[in-house]
Amino acid sequence: MAGTKEIKTHIDSVQETQKITNAMYLIAATKLRRARQELDNTRPYFQALQGEIRRIFRATNEVDCRYFYPENPADSGGGVYGCLLITADKGLAGSYNQNAIREAARLLEQHPNTKLFVVGEYGRRVLTQRGIPIEHSFLYTAQNPTMARAREISTLLLSRYDRGELQKIFVVYTDMERGMTFQAHSTRLLPFHRSHFDTPQAEQPAAPFEFLPSPMAVLKNMIHSYVSGFIYSALIDSFCCEQNARMVAMDSANQNAEKLLGELSLQYNRVRQSAITQEITEVSAGARAQRRNRGKER
């Protein structure tokens, strides 16, 4: 059985670890609030952009854009797919990273001819260890995503799509559901279905719109901004889910530490009481032995 010194050392170690987990919990909570605020600040712009794309489809039926399926699409599974996988830079976030990687692996199983574009050091490391090829790795950190980074990613993906190197583009990210729960999703980014921007017939404009230089040029510029906004939203959502998962993991670690400290304290008190009892017994036995010796001498 461990002595009081070993138990006390164990208690001190658990308390030091608990200080670290408490600090990580507070840091994750602060980053989560900041990221949500940034997303709320940018969401109205992209909602308005989506509304303007709807306006183009309401105003004209002669839009033939490569970013959309035709009216009666033959959605075949051919061609090369592109997959943007968003993970974290480090672990200690529960199942956050593994869920995203598992979703990307499911897409690879369904369509082996898929090229991976990875954000996050954790995803790069795991895919490399498993021998899964990575088409392009964005080497900047997954922490604190910015609109500039989202535009860099969208520019690369759209250039591959425009050249015909990619038939479809998917985004694997983690979305927060019902406030505190999160789920990894695989969403097709391109091409869009026209129904994604359709509006009821009653909302058709009364007067025609004029687009300069052409509806196609206006739509192309809007789609580039819309794709950048979608990727930025996916980066922010994933970052929020990462911080939320880290908060849950650190809170669970704190609860386990409290439980362990209670058990160690109880064990420490028992060992200490046992040592005190043993010392008292030894003193009492020594005193009795001395009394017997004095009695014999007399």
Side-chain angles (χ1 to χ4, degrees):
M1 186 176 182
T4 55
K5 183 177 180 181
E6 289 80 4
I7 298 176
K8 189 65 169 63
T9 302
H10 195 180
I11 291 175
D12 293 339
S13 176
V14 173
Q15 289 176 342
E16 292 298 324
T17 304
Q18 192 177 29
K19 292 179 181 178
I20 297 174
T21 56
N22 280 327
M24 294 181 65
Y25 179 90
L26 296 175
I27 292 172
T30 302
K31 290 182 177 180
L32 177 61
R33 288 194 297 270
R34 186 184 301 119
R36 281 180 170 175
Q37 184 63 39
E38 291 177 358
L39 183 60
D40 291 338
N41 292 338
T42 57
R43 183 176 285 121
Y45 168 75
F46 295 106
Q47 290 176 345
L49 190 63
Q50 187 176 16
E52 293 304 314
I53 296 175
R54 289 194 182 102
R55 186 191 299 271
I56 294 178
F57 282 104
R58 292 200 306 265
T60 178
N61 294 323
E62 299 178 356
V63 177
D64 184 16
C65 183
R66 61 177 174 273
Y67 299 126
F68 292 85
Y69 282 118
E71 292 292 341
N72 298 312
D75 190 6
S76 62
V80 178
Y81 290 3
C83 175
L84 175 64
L85 172 62
I86 302 175
T87 62
D89 290 326
K90 55 186 177 181
L92 298 177
S95 60
Y96 165 78
N97 290 297
Q98 293 300 326
N99 288 341
I101 294 174
R102 191 178 300 112
E103 188 67 22
R106 185 184 65 81
L107 181 62
L108 285 172
E109 291 178 359
Q110 295 178 355
H111 193 87
N113 195 14
T114 300
K115 296 183 178 180
L116 291 177
F117 301 81
V118 183
V119 175
E121 180 61 31
Y122 192 97
R124 291 192 290 267
R125 184 172 64 253
V126 171
L127 294 176
T128 302
Q129 292 175 352
R130 297 181 181 180
I132 300 176
I134 299 176
E135 178 68 17
H136 185 87
S137 181
F138 300 96
L139 298 180
Y140 42 74
T141 176
Q143 302 292 313
N144 302 322
T146 62
M147 190 63 202
R149 293 174 179 174
R151 288 194 180 98
E152 292 178 7
I153 297 173
S154 65
T155 299
L156 175 63
L157 295 177
L158 286 173
S159 63
R160 298 283 188 94
Y161 184 83
D162 292 340
R163 293 196 299 265
E165 298 177 9
L166 300 176
Q167 186 74 18
K168 296 180 182 180
I169 297 178
F170 290 83
V171 179
V172 176
Y173 69 104
T174 309
D175 188 20
M176 190 170 292
E177 300 176 346
R178 296 186 299 275
M180 296 301 291
T181 61
F182 54 91
Q183 180 68 37
H185 292 284
S186 175
T187 303
R188 190 189 70 251
L189 179 58
L190 288 175
F192 294 108
H193 277 295
R194 292 173 182 263
S195 59
H196 184 71
F197 298 97
D198 277 349
T199 54
Q201 188 68 24
E203 298 184 14
Q204 296 293 332
F209 287 94
E210 183 178 0
F211 300 95
L212 297 175
S214 66
M216 282 289 298
V218 175
L219 183 61
K220 180 178 179 180
N221 290 332
M222 285 186 176
I223 289 298
H224 280 227
S225 297
Y226 184 80
V227 169
S228 299
F230 185 94
I231 292 176
Y232 177 68
S233 176
L235 291 172
I236 291 289
D237 283 339
S238 297
F239 182 71
C240 290
C241 292
E242 176 195 350
Q243 303 309 318
N244 180 60
R246 183 162 289 113
M247 288 172 59
V248 172
M250 294 303 102
D251 183 64
S252 177
N254 289 333
Q255 294 179 6
N256 292 335
E258 289 292 342
K259 182 179 179 181
L260 183 57
L261 285 174
E263 295 175 354
L264 289 174
S265 298
L266 180 61
Q267 184 181 358
Y268 176 80
N269 292 333
R270 287 177 177 175
V271 172
R272 183 170 175 270
Q273 186 64 38
S274 177
I276 294 173
T277 303
Q278 184 177 357
E279 291 179 0
I280 294 175
T281 302
E282 291 175 354
V283 171
S284 300
R288 287 197 300 269
Q290 289 180 354
R291 286 196 298 268
R292 285 196 300 269
N293 293 334
R294 284 197 298 267
K296 291 180 181 180
E297 291 176 354
R298 293 175 182 173

